[in-house]
Amino acid sequence: MTYIIENANILKEDKLLKTSMLIRNNEISLMQAEMKRFRYTRMDAGAFIMSAGYVVLDTSIPLEMSFSELKEYYIREFILKGCTAFLTAVPVKHEYTLKSDLKCFKASLLSSPIDYIIGVKIPVRLLTPSFMRKCKRERVPVVFVEIQDAKEFEQVPWGWLREAMFPYNCPLAPLFAGRNEKEKSRINTLWTKLMQEEKIPSMPNELMEHEPLSRSVLSKAGIYPLKGNIHQGGEASYNLYEKPEEGLTVEESQLFHYHRDKLAVTVLKGKVIRAGQEVIFRSGSGEHVKISTPAYFKIAD
């Protein structure tokens, strides 16, 4: 089906871009100020603020739940919050099990109603050139590293690791397991300094679970602009929020946390998955998003 969304108020950071969009085959075929010459069905979005669907981090999805419990989890943690994709990670304890671990994990996500990106979660001892070469072959977009102590860094052959990661360059993301905030801060500072000195593609800080990932993080993982972005040539995935009172300004980062009660519609690849409080749950309609090139688009931190 081909149709036009008129008067869309797209919020990017703290700025509203007013435009019209031609939607064809569930993709944004064209974006421009007006589309008077086209004779397609029109939808007026002037009463709403439009934002890209969120991509959140969730590395601990309870896949052992029953289908009904897992369905409720997907609805509560993702759909009702305006999420159209999530980044998760499969725990890997041994290098030789990487391929089978990924295969089993993908199978466990087949019922997902929204799209997903799969990274891996490993202990520091698996940070070896041979393991990173395997990650490169499997197109793993993010490697989450569980760090117990900064002394673990001393055993990693960083120079060889950097060479093994090239040219795919999936970023490393730190996880500071079981540490208080003071200790986390100390290890984080050492991590950031080490990554800069060794020129290792990485996330400078621990990513927050169940929070929308920033464009900078999405870009480093190669997820942006495939997800979390409204652009010509991209998929028609977005949220529509009721406009705030006249004179009030809203920033994009505030929508997820402070304006959830105003979220009216969520669309994933041209199909409504939430309208008001009604959720249209399509089990298995989510797809595994494969990342061909991390950090292809550069966005500053």
Side-chain angles (χ1 to χ4, degrees):
M1 180 181 175
T2 302
Y3 60 97
I4 291 170
I5 300 177
E6 288 187 307
N7 304 316
N9 302 291
I10 302 174
L11 183 63
K12 290 197 175 184
E13 296 180 351
D14 61 347
K15 294 180 175 60
L16 279 177
L17 169 66
K18 191 163 187 176
T19 188
S20 294
M21 299 184 290
L22 177 66
I23 309 298
R24 180 182 284 126
N25 297 326
N26 299 325
E27 291 185 352
I28 303 170
S29 180
L30 182 65
M31 291 178 70
Q32 58 186 41
E34 293 181 342
M35 294 190 182
K36 291 181 179 178
R37 70 181 187 276
F38 294 106
R39 294 181 177 274
Y40 296 114
T41 302
R42 295 170 182 266
M43 180 186 93
D44 189 349
F48 302 95
I49 289 177
M50 178 183 287
S51 76
Y54 302 111
V55 183
V56 295
L57 175 67
D58 191 334
T59 62
S60 303
I61 296 175
L63 298 171
E64 71 285 351
M65 285 181 171
S66 67
F67 175 75
S68 60
E69 291 173 321
L70 190 56
K71 177 181 176 181
E72 287 304 312
Y73 185 89
Y74 280 130
I75 291 172
R76 182 180 70 250
E77 295 298 330
F78 299 135
I79 297 177
L80 288 178
K81 294 179 181 180
C83 305
T84 53
F86 61 88
L87 170 63
T88 188
V90 54
V92 178
K93 299 300 181 187
H94 305 283
E95 183 177 319
Y96 65 87
T97 66
L98 173 63
K99 192 165 187 172
S100 59
D101 288 343
L102 282 168
K103 185 177 180 180
C104 290
F105 198 74
K106 287 175 191 174
S108 67
L109 292 172
L110 287 176
S111 65
S112 176
I114 64 172
D115 292 351
Y116 47 92
I117 305 99
I118 303 174
V120 299
K121 183 163 52 175
I122 63 168
V124 176
R125 62 177 170 78
L126 279 188
L127 275 180
T128 64
S130 60
F131 182 79
M132 293 310 298
R133 280 192 287 270
K134 284 185 171 66
C135 287
K136 188 164 57 177
R137 281 197 294 272
E138 298 297 329
R139 291 291 189 261
V140 174
V142 185
V143 175
F144 292 90
V145 185
E146 295 180 302
I147 302 164
Q148 301 290 338
D149 194 286
K151 290 181 180 178
E152 295 176 300
F153 298 155
E154 298 169 6
Q155 308 302 318
V156 180
W158 295 108
W160 291 348
L161 198 74
R162 183 177 61 249
E163 291 177 15
M165 296 168 74
F166 184 83
Y168 187 64
N169 288 333
C170 70
L172 307 181
L175 291 174
F176 304 117
R179 293 291 174 180
N180 60 42
E181 291 306 313
K182 185 177 180 180
E183 186 67 5
K184 276 186 181 182
S185 178
R186 185 185 74 81
I187 300 175
N188 201 134
T189 300
L190 292 171
W191 166 271
T192 304
K193 184 171 181 287
L194 182 62
M195 294 299 103
Q196 290 174 343
E197 289 175 350
E198 298 291 348
K199 297 180 172 58
I200 302 290
S202 63
M203 306 297 178
N205 302 297
E206 188 173 32
L207 302 180
M208 298 292 291
E209 295 275 349
H210 304 285
E211 293 285 327
L213 298 170
S214 69
R215 286 199 180 93
S216 172
V217 169
L218 292 174
S219 176
K220 284 182 179 180
I223 301 167
Y224 182 95
L226 298 173
K227 298 285 178 183
N229 187 38
I230 297 173
H231 67 285
Q232 186 168 308
E235 64 182 31
S237 295
Y238 54 86
N239 288 312
L240 293 177
Y241 288 84
E242 296 172 14
K243 267 187 175 179
E245 294 175 21
E246 201 68 37
L248 286 178
T249 58
V250 176
E251 291 187 15
E252 191 177 5
S253 59
Q254 297 176 333
L255 288 177
F256 182 84
H257 293 106
Y258 306 116
H259 298 275
R260 200 172 296 164
D261 61 320
K262 302 292 185 184
L263 180 54
V265 177
T266 301
V267 173
L268 171 60
K269 290 178 289 192
K271 295 181 179 178
V272 175
I273 61 172
R274 179 251 176 91
Q277 291 305 307
E278 182 184 356
V279 170
I280 298 90
F281 188 93
R282 298 182 181 91
S283 179
S285 61
E287 298 178 333
H288 176 215
V289 181
K290 297 176 183 177
I291 306 302
S292 57
T293 311
Y296 184 74
F297 285 80
K298 299 287 186 182
I299 294 180
D301 290 313

